[in-house]
Amino acid sequence: MSNCLLPITLTICAALASPGMALCAPAQDYDTLIQQARAGDYSPALTMLRQRLRQTPDDRRVLGDYILISGWAGHSKAITQAYEQAESPGNLSSQALNTVARAYRDTQRWNNAITLFQQGERRFHNQPAFTYGHIMTLADAGRTDDAIRGGRQLVAQQPRNADSHLALDYAYVQAGQPYAALEQASQAYDLAPARPYVMRAYILAQQRAQLPQAALRMTQAHPGVMDPAQTRSLQADVAAQLTRAASADSRGEASRFALADQALSLYDRLIAEWRAMGPTARADVQRAEADRLQALHARRRMRDVVTSYDAMRANGTPVPSYVLGDVASAYLYLQQPEKAAPLFQQSLATIHQNRTSANRLADQSGLFYALTESNQDDAANAGMDRAIQEQPIWNYYKGTPVREPNPLRMDAELTRAQGYLYEGDSVRAQQTLDQMVAAAPDNTNIRTMRAGVYRARDLPHHAERDLKIAESQMPRSIGVEVGQAETALALQEWHQAKLLRDDVAARAPEDTTVQRLAREWEVHNMAEWRMTASRGVTTNSPVLGSHEWNLDTVLYSPPIDENWRVFAGTGYSQGEFDEGNGYYGWARAGAEWRSRVVTAQAEVSGNRYGYGTKTGAAASVFVDLNDHWQVGAGAALLSRDTPLRALKHNITANSLNASLRWRGDDRREWVLTITPSFFSDGNNRLEASLSGRQRLYTAPKVKVDALLNLSGSHNTADDAPYFNPKSDLTVLPALQITHTLYQRYENRWEQQFLLGVGTYSQRNFGTGGIVTVGYGQRYRYNDVLDVGFMITGTSRPYDGQRERDYNFLVNMTYRF
């Protein structure tokens, strides 16, 4: 029986069981037993009445007395048995008939109860208790429409009767209409504010309508109206409401965190008070501890969430299913996807009370990210595909003829598009988002996510345009500002990136995207060390030398005044030739300028190759015209690209270079380079190369690229002590396969396979085949370390002689 009904029922019982009622029994002992029953000692009277019923089962007066006293004793089942065993229950008194009807209701035999309440309504027109019971039993039986209809009729007939409003209140409660129920309870309270049961019904109605603060204030103003357990429930509801408000995205960051802090303070106080009460409040303590996990989540205290969750499990405290999604989210935030995934699955498998479609989609999206980060791509994608199918494209609201787009469907599709990007399928990710932008061009979230895809595709100018449109819709959106800062970094807009980073870091430091941006900015401001080393062995009368060593290292300072970096480096090269060993050592220093359009570098160097130290210099500049085109130019005095064999003979070279790069996106790129060199022995060399890359296949862990290298040279000198073909041409297409062995957040381990087959043509020496094979690995760690090696073997002709070259190359970039 509902708590809302109890006050009405007790009132009715008191009215029907008045001291003046007739209990037909002439004997003095009979009267004495009845008086004892009225005083609360039911057993002797019931024993006597059962004996009388066995002797005279058709005595309606004895039956009526037995029913009434059994009702006082709360023996509902005994009442229904006695009523059904009577030979002719017939015309029971109004009190007895109402008691039997209530007994059927208490035993959930709804149809029997309804029949008797209807009978009472027909026989006793002046007894409203039967109408109340009829309405409430209809509601209990699930016939809420009939109950509401009857309640409205009753209120229309007795608008000044508080109990009429409470009967309709009960019907609305059972129909799941808490606000309509609150209206009726409020009217009942206005009519009879001094009645405790009316006040109690009004407080409970406020609680059900999610107004726990008002309900608690009324409870505290009228001690004794609610029992201690109900008061604790209201206090827990107040804290839970603060937590829900703190979790709402519509509030500002400061407001949300202030509410979360209030909720946590309240939980800490209540838990301490209730624990002191012992077993009586154990269930309330357990609820508060579980709800506190949600408040910690709203405050982004994720480590405290998992610590408290682990402590609850260790203490044997039950953890309700409705908090599992928040705990799983905390594990995912802390980059522990293996622990997050099963909790998301458990949450999704459990039917939560008051669970919304948005809650379910949040768990589905969380599971998708947890499985993706655990390298379970197939399971992640299948789950997100099911989530999309669960969400209708359109929502239809009662009373509104116009359909509305379902925002949850959009959120699910956005998550799936992000999944395509995680798989490396940036093309499909962009296509999906292009369609969504076309359908909803003013949606900030879609444009922000597409900007992220553009950045991943090496198209930062495209990203900048999308984010500018998004900014016009939501200028203070954390997502938009983070995207703009990351785009500014890609465009080398350092000052803009810093301002945006400072703003979002002050407003939402706990946001994972903000933390990721802060890490990128931190890495950008580090010093950088680059190193390349190689060892080569060439067989079969090498023209280019044998047993070659090369090492080049350079250290860049942290950024100075945003755009500048200074650098210094050294290097060494050595090779074996027929005429003896050659070596070359150098040291260099310079400065680099990086801005939105221009990247320029200039250096001076000291060079030693057996003839003293000679000064060299070099400069280069690259201009980004847009996302696709870049032009570059450079010049070098005493170029480090001078062949080592030439340096051994004290022949140096100065050079110029010009380049043109076209980059379609992250999957295709072509670079044309022209380099004239002027040797000190009078030889002039012109080199040109065209290199390209085109993606052929993409899967979550495998990428296949087609490579092409076209290069040629022309030299004016007919004879030189270094390799100097009159003219030559290399055509080398190749296939490169990249396989991801391990990936976890910013850490990645890959292996590469290379196979190339082409031709080399040299004037006066004909054309021969080129075959090159290679294998390498690369490891990237925490944004600061990028190290890899490649072993290659190449067979090709030089001056008509086939040479086999084996080379081991290591390169590394480290930031600190």
Side-chain angles (χ1 to χ4, degrees):
M1 182 182 297
S2 168
N3 289 333
C4 177
L5 173 62
L6 187 59
I8 305 176
T9 304
L10 294 177
T11 303
I12 295 169
C13 287
L16 296 181
S18 60
M21 72 178 196
L23 290 175
C24 195
Q28 182 64 35
D29 60 337
Y30 186 99
D31 293 336
T32 300
L33 293 175
I34 296 302
Q35 292 299 326
Q36 290 178 353
R38 287 174 177 167
D41 186 7
Y42 309 120
S43 181
L46 289 175
T47 301
M48 179 267 293
L49 290 170
R50 277 194 293 270
Q51 293 175 350
R52 293 284 184 93
L53 283 175
R54 283 195 293 270
Q55 296 170 359
T56 57
D58 59 342
D59 190 331
R60 288 192 295 274
R61 291 174 298 178
V62 173
L63 175 62
D65 291 344
Y66 178 77
I67 288 172
L68 288 172
I69 296 176
S70 295
W72 300 345
H75 297 166
S76 298
K77 189 174 182 180
I79 294 172
T80 59
Q81 288 177 344
Y83 181 77
E84 292 169 358
Q85 291 172 0
E87 294 182 1
S88 55
N91 296 326
L92 290 174
S93 66
S94 63
Q95 299 94 324
L97 182 61
N98 187 276
T99 302
V100 176
R102 285 190 288 106
Y104 275 121
R105 182 184 171 206
D106 290 341
T107 56
Q108 299 185 7
R109 297 173 65 179
W110 314 122
N111 291 335
N112 300 77
I114 290 170
T115 299
L116 292 182
F117 280 128
Q118 289 174 326
Q119 181 182 336
E121 288 179 295
R122 290 192 299 269
R123 289 181 55 200
F124 307 103
H125 301 290
N126 62 339
Q127 296 284 352
F130 290 102
T131 303
Y132 302 153
H134 184 194
I135 292 170
M136 295 175 181
T137 308
L138 286 171
D140 292 334
R143 295 169 56 181
T144 52
D145 289 343
D146 293 336
I148 292 171
R149 190 179 305 111
R152 287 173 176 171
Q153 292 175 356
L154 180 63
V155 167
Q157 295 168 3
Q158 303 178 22
R160 304 296 300 172
N161 188 322
D163 291 338
S164 299
H165 288 284
L166 290 185
L168 181 55
D169 158 65
Y170 186 83
Y172 279 129
V173 169
Q174 297 301 99
Q177 301 182 41
Y179 301 105
L182 175 62
E183 180 184 4
Q184 297 303 315
S186 176
Q187 293 185 38
Y189 179 71
D190 290 340
L191 292 169
R195 297 181 193 176
Y197 72 88
V198 174
M199 185 181 300
R200 187 180 305 111
Y202 182 42
I203 292 173
L204 292 172
Q206 289 177 315
Q207 184 180 23
R208 283 189 293 266
Q210 298 183 9
L211 298 171
Q213 293 183 345
L216 183 60
R217 284 194 297 270
M218 180 173 285
T219 299
Q220 293 170 338
H222 300 85
V225 172
M226 306 293 282
D227 62 41
Q230 291 173 322
T231 302
R232 291 194 297 271
S233 175
L234 284 171
Q235 291 173 315
D237 284 352
V238 169
Q241 188 177 63
L242 287 172
T243 300
R244 286 193 296 272
S247 302
D249 291 335
S250 58
R251 294 181 179 270
E253 296 86 359
S255 175
R256 287 193 292 111
F257 288 165
L259 289 171
D261 287 336
Q262 290 181 37
L264 289 169
S265 177
L266 181 56
Y267 279 127
D268 292 341
R269 178 174 63 81
L270 294 177
I271 290 172
E273 292 177 0
W274 295 347
R275 278 179 178 162
M277 297 178 184
T280 301
R282 181 176 300 160
D284 301 296
V285 171
Q286 292 175 349
R287 177 197 168 179
E289 287 180 333
D291 290 353
R292 183 174 179 272
L293 297 177
Q294 294 184 309
L296 289 169
H297 184 276
R299 189 58 180 84
R300 299 292 179 90
R301 290 168 54 180
M302 301 304 189
R303 195 165 298 280
D304 290 336
V305 172
V306 300
T307 300
S308 299
Y309 170 74
D310 291 340
M312 290 175 66
R313 295 196 60 186
N315 295 333
T317 303
V319 181
S321 58
Y322 64 82
V323 302
L324 293 180
D326 288 327
V327 177
S329 176
Y331 275 119
L332 190 60
Y333 180 96
L334 297 173
Q335 298 189 353
Q336 300 181 48
E338 292 82 5
K339 291 184 178 180
L343 288 175
F344 279 126
Q345 291 167 335
Q346 186 177 345
S347 178
L348 287 168
T350 307
I351 299 176
H352 303 173
Q353 186 179 9
N354 298 325
R355 181 181 179 86
T356 65
S357 296
N359 297 143
R360 177 171 175 79
L361 181 59
D363 283 349
Q364 289 171 321
S365 300
L367 178 60
F368 169 81
Y369 289 117
L371 292 174
T372 298
E373 298 297 349
S374 302
N375 297 315
Q376 302 180 55
D377 300 291
D378 292 341
N381 296 334
M384 206 63 228
D385 289 339
R386 287 193 298 270
I388 292 174
Q389 294 304 315
E390 287 180 10
Q391 297 296 335
I393 298 176
W394 301 99
N395 282 336
Y396 297 87
Y397 298 102
K398 185 176 181 180
T400 303
V402 180
R403 65 184 184 180
E404 297 289 340
N406 180 11
L408 297 182
R409 174 65 177 246
M410 183 201 71
D411 291 343
E413 291 181 345
L414 281 175
T415 301
R416 188 65 186 91
Q418 189 77 12
Y420 294 137
L421 186 61
Y422 289 164
E423 297 169 19
D425 194 350
S426 57
V427 173
R428 189 171 183 182
Q430 182 183 329
Q431 290 173 346
T432 301
L433 292 169
D434 285 346
Q435 295 172 358
M436 297 179 72
V437 169
D442 294 331
N443 189 286
T444 300
N445 291 334
I446 300 176
R447 285 197 179 272
T448 301
M449 184 170 287
R450 188 171 70 168
V453 174
Y454 279 142
R455 287 194 302 274
R457 303 206 70 193
D458 295 329
L459 301 172
H461 290 85
H462 287 66
E464 186 179 44
R465 287 193 291 271
D466 255 355
L467 290 167
K468 205 64 182 174
I469 296 173
E471 180 188 9
S472 67
Q473 302 291 330
M474 298 180 66
R476 295 292 286 166
S477 165
I478 291 294
V480 171
E481 284 197 39
V482 169
Q484 288 178 319
E486 292 179 335
T487 302
L489 285 172
L491 291 170
Q492 302 188 157
E493 289 275 9
W494 314 121
H495 185 66
Q496 180 183 2
K498 180 181 183 303
L499 293 176
L500 291 165
R501 178 263 175 194
D502 290 346
D503 182 60
V504 295
R507 291 168 54 202
E510 295 84 0
D511 190 285
T512 53
T513 61
V514 174
Q515 293 174 355
R516 177 63 193 153
L517 172 62
R519 175 60 178 172
E520 292 177 4
W521 181 251
E522 178 186 5
V523 171
H524 164 72
N525 285 286
M526 292 179 177
E528 181 179 350
W529 177 42
R530 299 176 186 174
M531 185 274 293
T532 302
S534 65
R535 168 64 168 166
V537 177
T538 305
T539 64
N540 301 348
S541 302
V543 173
L544 298 180
S546 178
H547 299 90
E548 181 182 10
W549 283 95
N550 292 285
L551 174 66
D552 183 54
T553 180
V554 60
L555 177 64
Y556 287 85
S557 73
I560 301 170
D561 194 24
E562 295 184 346
N563 296 99
W564 289 97
R565 292 197 301 179
V566 296
F567 63 89
T570 186
Y572 181 79
S573 182
Q574 176 181 312
E576 298 178 4
F577 306 100
D578 292 340
E579 63 272 29
N581 294 342
Y583 66 90
Y584 174 30
W586 64 89
R588 56 189 174 120
E592 179 186 55
W593 165 273
R594 297 178 298 173
S595 66
R596 178 184 176 93
V597 176
V598 177
T599 299
Q601 182 171 295
E603 66 176 54
V604 294
S605 61
N607 303 269
R608 294 178 62 87
Y609 46 89
Y611 299 91
T613 300
K614 297 188 178 183
T615 302
S620 64
V621 60
F622 294 93
V623 179
D624 291 313
L625 304 178
N626 51 43
D627 280 339
H628 301 294
W629 291 100
Q630 181 193 75
V631 295
L637 296 175
L638 215 168
S639 170
R640 284 194 301 277
D641 293 328
T642 304
L644 181 59
R645 199 167 191 175
L647 292 175
K648 178 173 175 56
H649 292 272
N650 198 22
I651 299 172
T652 61
N654 302 325
S655 66
L656 301 172
N657 68 78
S659 65
L660 177 65
R661 186 193 70 184
W662 177 83
R663 180 177 59 196
D665 48 47
D666 60 322
R667 298 186 172 210
R668 47 187 178 157
E669 180 178 9
W670 291 91
V671 179
L672 173 65
T673 304
I674 299 175
T675 306
S677 300
F678 310 96
F679 288 79
S680 60
D681 64 352
N683 179 43
N684 294 330
R685 173 179 291 177
L686 179 63
E687 297 173 285
S689 69
L690 176 66
S691 60
R693 177 179 63 88
Q694 174 65 53
R695 176 67 52 79
L696 300 179
Y697 174 77
T698 300
K701 295 184 182 301
V702 178
K703 298 175 179 61
V704 181
D705 292 299
L707 310 178
L708 178 63
N709 178 46
L710 299 176
S711 62
S713 68
H714 175 76
N715 292 273
T716 58
D718 294 328
D719 192 17
Y722 48 90
F723 181 64
N724 190 52
K726 189 67 176 177
S727 60
D728 64 354
L729 175 66
T730 300
V731 179
L732 183 60
L735 200 65
Q736 178 178 278
I737 301 173
T738 304
H739 174 227
T740 301
L741 297 169
Y742 171 83
Q743 181 172 358
R744 186 177 181 87
Y745 295 97
E746 285 72 47
N747 304 330
R748 176 179 290 191
W749 180 23
E750 297 175 336
Q751 61 178 345
Q752 283 188 336
F753 302 87
L754 179 68
L755 173 63
V757 179
T759 61
Y760 175 70
S761 300
Q762 183 178 349
R763 186 173 179 179
N764 301 324
F765 292 95
T767 300
I770 303 176
V771 177
T772 183
V773 295
Y775 173 78
Q777 293 188 7
R778 180 158 294 278
Y779 182 65
R780 299 177 180 89
Y781 174 74
N782 198 27
D783 297 325
V784 297
L785 176 64
D786 186 340
V787 59
F789 74 86
M790 175 67 75
I791 303 173
T792 56
T794 304
S795 174
R796 61 176 298 161
Y798 286 109
D799 286 348
Q801 299 293 320
R802 180 159 294 276
E803 295 186 4
R804 293 181 178 85
D805 177 71
Y806 303 96
N807 190 67
F808 179 77
L809 173 69
V810 178
N811 55 41
M812 179 178 70
T813 299
Y814 179 61
R815 292 178 178 268
F816 58 95

